[in-house]
Amino acid sequence: MKVRIISAIVAIAIFLPLLYIGGIPFILLIYAMATIGLYELLRMRNLSLVSVQGALSLALLWVILLPGQAFDSGHGADIKIKAAILAVLLFLSYTVISKNKFTFDDAGFVILSVLYVGIGFHFLMETREAGIVYLFYVLFVVWGTDSGAYFVGRSLGKRKLWPEISPNKTIGGSLGGIVIAVLIALAFFSFTSLDIPLVKLLIVTVVLSVFGQIGDLAQSAFKRYYGVKDSGNIMPGHGGILDRCDSWLFVLPLVHVLQII
């Protein structure tokens, strides 16, 4: 427990000041986090980042991560789509060049991994660019959902939510997490400059809380399928980057899809 607490304090001491500063320092931090996250996913499948497929995946990831302000108006999405198409063709070509040592299944895994990590972390930067209050709202909803699910689940949880994927999660805990998320949303509505109608905010909060839990379960499913306990060990007592950011990667794109910013 002591190691876990110290590790959390160190992570917060690095993340929150750069989140507050924003700009280039925050972008560099997110690039580093996303790169580590991709490394963790590839390692689950015994694929190396120091390889042809690793170099291609890293190049595509860094293109997808590019913030909107890096492009002329309206051109960013087009460039990223073209980069993704080119990457798909290169990955499939490499299956031929490698004589199927790098397989079609490997190519699909790598492409989906890059999109999963890249899109989530890209929208982390975009949300910060839209306003720090929006990012804090999302982070507190995710953290509140996790904490509420844990404590309510321990006290009231009886029926398992999805034992085949995550045996410790309960339906009661899941509902408790949603309730805590709604209370956090009400606090943000009352005490911050969050410019969203209350009814829309509450509906969006429930959706984000649910999808944050699905993001957590998706990461659990990855790890169970590949037979690993944690995605990495960069944070002693907590695991890897993906272990800490799994809910973010689902929730942050939704913030923009649902147009609350």
Side-chain angles (χ1 to χ4, degrees):
M1 181 60 73
K2 182 179 179 181
V3 171
R4 185 178 176 87
I5 292 172
I6 293 173
S7 179
I9 291 172
V10 171
I12 290 170
I14 295 171
F15 182 75
L16 286 184
L18 293 177
L19 167 60
Y20 179 78
I21 294 169
I24 298 298
F26 185 64
I27 290 173
L28 292 176
L29 172 65
I30 300 308
Y31 262 78
M33 291 173 65
T35 299
I36 295 169
L38 179 61
Y39 161 77
E40 291 174 351
L41 271 176
L42 295 185
R43 190 178 63 170
M44 287 186 197
R45 196 176 170 88
N46 294 319
L47 295 171
S48 174
L49 201 60
V50 184
S51 61
V52 173
Q53 65 268 21
L56 288 174
S57 64
L58 201 56
L60 178 59
L61 174 70
W62 288 354
V63 171
I64 291 174
L65 284 173
L66 286 169
Q69 62 265 34
F71 301 95
D72 293 333
S73 179
H75 289 84
D78 185 51
I79 291 172
K80 292 182 181 185
I81 290 171
K82 289 178 179 177
I85 292 171
L86 177 60
V88 169
L89 297 177
L90 290 174
F91 279 122
L92 293 178
S93 299
Y94 187 56
T95 65
V96 177
I97 295 170
S98 69
K99 298 179 181 179
N100 259 344
K101 291 180 181 178
F102 178 74
T103 67
F104 185 86
D105 288 347
D106 291 331
F109 176 86
V110 171
I111 292 167
L112 188 57
S113 295
V114 171
L115 294 176
Y116 166 60
V117 173
I119 290 172
F121 278 111
H122 166 76
F123 280 110
L124 176 58
M125 290 186 289
E126 291 299 295
T127 305
R128 172 61 183 87
E129 181 65 20
I132 195 170
V133 66
Y134 291 100
L135 185 50
F136 272 124
Y137 157 71
V138 174
L139 295 180
F140 274 96
V141 164
V142 169
W143 293 334
T145 297
D146 288 345
S147 299
Y150 176 76
F151 288 109
V152 175
R154 289 191 64 182
S155 303
L156 304 175
K158 303 295 183 183
R159 297 182 62 184
K160 299 297 183 181
L161 178 64
W162 213 311
E164 297 84 358
I165 299 298
S166 186
N168 295 325
K169 289 183 170 55
T170 64
I171 294 175
S174 176
L175 295 175
I178 294 171
V179 170
I180 297 300
V182 168
L183 293 176
I184 288 171
L186 288 171
F188 266 83
F189 182 81
S190 301
F191 301 110
T192 72
S193 58
L194 206 63
D195 186 22
I196 307 170
L198 179 58
V199 173
K200 181 177 180 179
L201 177 64
L202 295 179
I203 293 172
V204 166
T205 299
V206 171
V207 173
L208 297 184
S209 181
V210 169
F211 271 86
Q213 295 182 60
I214 293 174
D216 189 0
L217 287 168
Q219 181 65 19
S220 295
F222 299 158
K223 293 186 291 187
R224 184 170 290 271
Y225 181 78
Y226 287 105
V228 298
K229 183 179 182 295
D230 295 315
S231 65
N233 54 14
I234 192 171
M235 294 178 62
H238 292 270
I241 290 294
L242 294 181
D243 292 311
R244 294 300 90 206
C245 301
D246 47 13
S247 296
W248 304 4
L249 299 181
F250 267 58
V251 166
L252 286 160
L254 276 179
V255 171
H256 294 262
V257 171
L258 296 174
Q259 297 182 330
I260 71 167
I261 295 178

